């Protein structure tokens, strides 16, 4: 891992989505590496939030000219986009995953920024959802840009595997889809992913690359995730199986009203998202075999999921 500031050429880096979980971690990793950071946060009409060590700038992600002026005035050499739709609904995906990133890229081009790093997602390898298609459309734009690019596609985040902590602590079973062996991932912590992204700023070999990255292996299944959670809690494992088909049925029913209502369209998409993550691994997809390959999924960092669970549990039982 990085962290030797004397070996790093200090640059001015603009981080979009700096108020998010990953974006905030990226800001801190860059500062620790000795860079000057512009933390770009969306305008909300109020006082700009404070992000320790960074210059916080409220921005309108629909105004390329203003963004370009800001980047130029601060001498930004690199732009890092950690922008992502929160819901994954079709409207949100189009507005955020594609359009906000498109405007940010246009601004970076106008400002003659040298390097654009995109935080994407490994699930775009097999696109079936609105947000995946939106991300891929932007990836295509970025690859065609005059600016050097690096696209980073992480596997599962620790946070995304933490939704059942409170459920388990309350004595309820850990829910599995099918037998809990349908999928695998190499989860990565916020800090490890942030450091990997920060390292990409100075690593010339990663320019022009699309990089799938996971945390330290081995790959784990949902059942193994549950085992780790119960171990961290000092409890006997207790599982309950949920049929995956329920999501397909829900999506089908909700889709009937999607043409007439954004609410139905969004709910149908949520059901499709749930089914996708219940059936697709977050690993590198071999295009020749159509199978996910744990060995081909690069690993980075040191943080372990079980330690994350222990920290969460300790915070709950205080």
């Amino acid at each position: 891992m990085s962290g030797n500031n004397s070996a790093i050429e200090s640059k001015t880096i603009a981080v979009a989505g700096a108020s998010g979980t990953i974006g905030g971690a990226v800001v801190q990793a860059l500062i620790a590496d000795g860079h000057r950071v512009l933390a770009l946060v969306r305008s909300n009409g109020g006082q700009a939030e404070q992000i320790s060590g960074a210059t916080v700038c409220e921005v309108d992600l629909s105004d390329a000219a203003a963004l370009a002026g800001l980047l130029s005035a601060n001498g930004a050499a690199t732009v890092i986009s950690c922008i992502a739709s929160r819901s994954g609904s079709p409207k949100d995906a189009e507005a955020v995953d594609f359009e906000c990133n498109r405007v940010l890229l246009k601004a970076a081009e106008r400002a003659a920024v040298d390097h654009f790093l995109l935080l994407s997602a490994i699930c775009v390898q097999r696109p079936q959802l609105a947000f995946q298609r939106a991300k891929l459309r932007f990836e295509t734009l970025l690859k065609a840009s005059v600016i050097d690019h690096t696209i980073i596609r992480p596997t599962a985040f620790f946070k995304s595997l933490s939704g059942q902590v409170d459920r388990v602590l309350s004595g309820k079973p850990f829910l599995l889809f099918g037998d809990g062996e349908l999928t695998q991932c190499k989860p990565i912590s916020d800090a490890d992913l942030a450091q990997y992204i920060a390292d990409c700023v100075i690593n010339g070999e990663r320019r022009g690359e699309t990089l799938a990255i996971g945390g330290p292996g081995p790959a784990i299944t949902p059942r193994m995730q549950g085992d780790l959670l119960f171990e961290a809690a000092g409890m006997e494992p207790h599982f309950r199986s949920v049929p995956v088909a329920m999501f397909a049925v829900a999506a089908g029913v909700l889709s009937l009203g999607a043409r007439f209502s954004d609410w139905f369209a969004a709910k149908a998409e949520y059901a499709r998202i749930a089914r996708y993550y219940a059936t697709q691994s977050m690993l590198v997809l071999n295009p020749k075999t159509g199978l996910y390959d744990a060995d081909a999924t690069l690993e980075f960092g040191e943080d372990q999921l079980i330690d994350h669970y222990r920290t969460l549990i300790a915070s709950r039982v205080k």
Side-chain angles (χ1 to χ4, degrees), residues 65-280:
L67 278 168
L70 178 65
L71 296 174
S72 295
N74 286 277
T78 300
V79 168
I80 300 175
S81 176
C82 296
I83 298 169
S85 60
R86 294 181 179 178
S87 69
S89 69
K91 275 195 168 184
D92 200 26
E94 178 65 22
V96 179
D97 293 298
F98 179 74
E99 186 58 23
C100 285
N101 273 316
R102 185 194 68 79
V103 172
L104 184 62
L105 176 60
K106 188 175 181 180
E109 291 171 340
R110 288 185 181 182
V113 166
D114 182 54
H115 189 195
F116 193 112
L117 285 88
L118 173 68
L119 178 62
S120 186
I122 201 168
C123 61
V124 300
Q125 300 173 108
R126 183 170 275 165
Q128 299 176 12
L129 305 169
F131 81 89
Q132 295 166 340
R133 292 188 286 269
K135 286 181 182 294
L136 280 176
R137 285 171 58 212
F138 179 69
E139 284 190 13
T140 300
L141 278 185
L142 180 56
K143 290 174 183 177
S145 174
V146 296
I147 298 178
D148 282 350
H149 71 271
T150 303
I151 297 170
I152 301 159
R153 294 175 173 175
T155 64
F157 304 137
F158 282 7
K159 182 179 179 180
S160 67
L161 304 185
S162 303
Q164 297 195 58
V165 171
D166 290 335
R167 177 183 177 83
V168 164
L169 291 179
S170 69
K172 296 178 181 178
F174 188 96
L175 298 179
L176 298 172
F177 300 113
D179 62 0
E181 305 287 342
L182 298 176
T183 65
Q184 291 183 309
C185 66
K186 289 184 178 179
I188 188 167
S189 72
D190 293 350
D192 282 344
L193 176 57
Q195 189 60 62
Y196 185 82
I197 293 171
D199 290 349
C200 288
V201 170
I202 61 166
N203 190 332
E205 293 182 357
R206 293 181 186 171
R207 292 203 178 195
E209 297 295 321
T210 299
L211 303 163
I213 188 69
I220 58 175
T221 65
R223 181 172 287 274
M224 294 167 70
Q225 295 164 30
D227 284 335
L228 289 174
L229 177 52
F230 283 113
E231 180 181 346
M235 301 168 66
E236 286 296 318
H238 180 203
F239 297 98
R240 177 177 295 167
S241 178
V242 176
V244 175
M246 63 182 283
F247 297 122
V249 172
V253 172
L254 291 165
S255 293
L256 295 175
R259 290 185 300 169
F260 312 103
S261 165
D262 289 339
W263 185 90
F264 276 105
K267 294 299 183 182
E269 188 70 4
Y270 300 157
R272 286 189 286 267
I273 289 171
R275 185 181 187 280
Y276 188 96
Y277 284 112
T279 58
Q280 302 293 323

